Amino acid sequence: MDDELAPIVEVIQARFATQVQEFRDEVSLVVSPHHIVEVCQTLRDEFGFDMLSDETAVDYWPEENPRFHVVYQLYSIAHNLRLCLRVPVPGISPSVPTIEGVYPNANWHEREIWDMFGIRFAGHSDLRRILMPQDWVGHPLRKDYPLGYEEVQFSFNYDEIDRRKPYAKE
């Protein structure tokens, strides 16, 4: 762990009872959904993490508790430090408080996460679909979302004699 990042991680860990995970010199803090807004405010105001560079989600289906992780990538421009926050979210009624009051650009990220994964952001100012049509049913990046598409025709599943005609299914 970076020498500059270690004291910051220790303070956040002690104050909010977070878990620290390290992988290939990337530090992640696993934060409770109840503390995410406070952790983000602390990191922004006390430690200079002034930029939310990314916010996304991960689906661990078929696991249900936690089924999702909401992942926040924070960056300190002045100190050139990066920190990842991971918030575990259950599969039944997934919800996390919004951080758009701390980082205004979270608005669009959270709308995309809602649209693609179905994770609600409590207190969000305009939680509606951003990529899919408003009348779309379901959330396409969930691993249990039914695909319902035709098989893509690759060279290995075409008839060798007539490449325009796919193999007949037996």
Side-chain angles (χ1 to χ4, degrees):
M1 184 181 318
D2 190 296
D3 291 338
E4 288 183 68
L5 196 57
I8 297 169
V9 169
E10 287 175 16
V11 168
I12 298 299
Q13 187 177 17
R15 198 178 296 176
F16 299 104
T18 62
Q19 296 175 351
V20 180
Q21 296 176 343
E22 241 184 294
F23 182 71
R24 294 187 180 177
D25 296 330
E26 184 176 300
V27 178
S28 297
L29 296 176
V30 180
V31 180
S32 164
H34 307 293
H35 295 300
I36 188 60
V37 176
E38 295 172 275
V39 169
C40 287
Q41 283 177 331
T42 302
L43 288 168
R44 183 194 66 188
D45 299 340
E46 294 181 27
F47 300 108
F49 284 87
D50 46 3
M51 184 172 146
L52 173 68
S53 59
D54 193 24
E55 181 179 353
T56 190
V58 180
D59 186 356
Y60 293 111
W61 184 79
E63 191 172 326
E64 280 296 325
N65 200 11
R67 176 174 175 172
F68 302 102
H69 272 188
V70 178
V71 182
Y72 304 85
Q73 297 287 343
L74 303 179
Y75 181 65
S76 171
I77 296 171
H79 304 290
N80 191 26
L81 294 174
R82 297 178 192 282
L83 185 60
C84 177
L85 305 177
R86 297 179 70 88
V87 176
V89 183
I92 300 169
S93 300
S95 180
V96 178
T98 183
I99 64 163
E100 74 174 327
V102 182
Y103 297 106
N105 66 321
N107 180 309
W108 290 69
H109 292 294
E110 290 171 355
R111 284 181 62 192
E112 181 179 359
I113 294 168
W114 156 247
D115 196 3
M116 297 287 107
F117 290 94
I119 300 171
R120 290 199 170 276
F121 288 89
H124 194 279
S125 64
D126 186 21
L127 196 60
R128 59 188 165 99
R129 292 197 180 270
I130 192 169
L131 298 173
M132 304 304 290
Q134 293 301 319
D135 60 346
W136 192 266
V137 177
H139 305 282
L141 289 184
R142 284 187 172 207
K143 288 187 178 176
D144 60 351
Y145 185 77
L147 296 178
Y149 63 86
E150 292 183 27
E151 183 180 357
V152 178
Q153 299 299 317
F154 294 104
S155 60
F156 66 83
N157 62 357
Y158 268 87
D159 190 317
E160 289 298 322
I161 298 168
D162 184 0
R163 290 217 175 260
R164 296 170 296 163
K165 184 175 73 176
Y167 281 124
K169 294 189 179 180
E170 298 178 43

